[in-house]
Amino acid sequence: MRRRDREKEEGIEDTQKVLNMDASMEGSLIFKDPVNLQINGDFKGKLDTKGSLTIGEHANVQADIIGEIVVVAGRVTGQITATRELRLVPPAVVEGDIQTPRLGVTPGAVLEGRSKMLSAQEKTAGKKTMGLEEVARYLEVETSIIRQWADDRKIPVNGKGSELRFDKQEIDKWIVDERVKL
C-alpha cells in the first residue's frame, strides 16, 4: 500500500496544516488540531502533536515527544510516545525510552533506551499511562509521596505494589479537581 493511501486510511489527510521548522527553537509546542510537522533544525523542550511529526535527518531534538505518527531520521534525546506508530529511519539516533503500538526500525537506525508496546486497551483508548517515577516527575513531587497517595487512594491509580500504573487523563482531571477544592 502506498504511503499516501495508508495515511488517508489512518486519517492523515492532505488538508492538514503543514509546518516545516528549520530554525532553532526552545519551549513547548502543543498542537490541538492535526498538523504535518517537520523539524529540521534544533529544538529543546516539549512536543505534543496530533497528526504526523517528522524529525529530519539534520535535526537535533532534546524533548519529550507525544504524537500520533512519529518518524525520526535525526537525533532525539528524550522520551517518545507515539499513540499510533513510531518509525526510526537512518541515520536516526534515539536516546530515551519509547512507547508505541507499532514500531518500525530500519537497519542503520539506533535506539538507546527501552521500548514498550502499548496494550490493546491503550491503543484503542489513545491513553497514556505512566509509572510511579514518571508521575512523580510529572507532578514534581518525590516518588515516596506518590506511593503514599496511591496507597491511601488519594490519587487515581491502577495496580498494586510495584505494578502501579497511572492514566495521564485521570491525573490531569485529578489536578483540576484538587485545585477546585482549594
Side-chain angles (χ1 to χ4, degrees), residues 153 157-161 163-165:
R153 296 292 184 202
V157 62
N158 298 310
K160 294 179 182 178
E163 298 297 320
L164 295 178
R165 300 303 299 164

Side-chain angles (χ1 to χ4, degrees), residues 29-81:
L29 284 178
I30 300 170
F31 293 91
K32 302 286 185 201
D33 295 320
V35 296
N36 284 325
L37 175 62
Q38 180 160 351
I39 297 177
N40 295 312
D42 295 338
F43 182 83
K44 186 175 184 179
K46 177 183 176 187
L47 289 166
D48 190 344
T49 67
K50 301 272 190 246
S52 179
L53 169 64
T54 301
I55 308 297
E57 68 179 66
H58 300 292
N60 184 10
V61 175
Q62 296 178 14
D64 288 336
I65 298 171
I66 299 172
E68 292 177 326
I69 298 173
V70 180
V71 179
V72 179
R75 176 176 286 278
V76 174
T77 303
Q79 295 184 25
I80 302 174
T81 301

Side-chain angles (χ1 to χ4, degrees), residues 76-93:
V76 174
T77 303
Q79 295 184 25
I80 302 174
T81 301
T83 58
R84 291 168 74 180
E85 180 179 6
L86 173 61
R87 292 189 301 254
L88 307 180
V89 297
V93 175

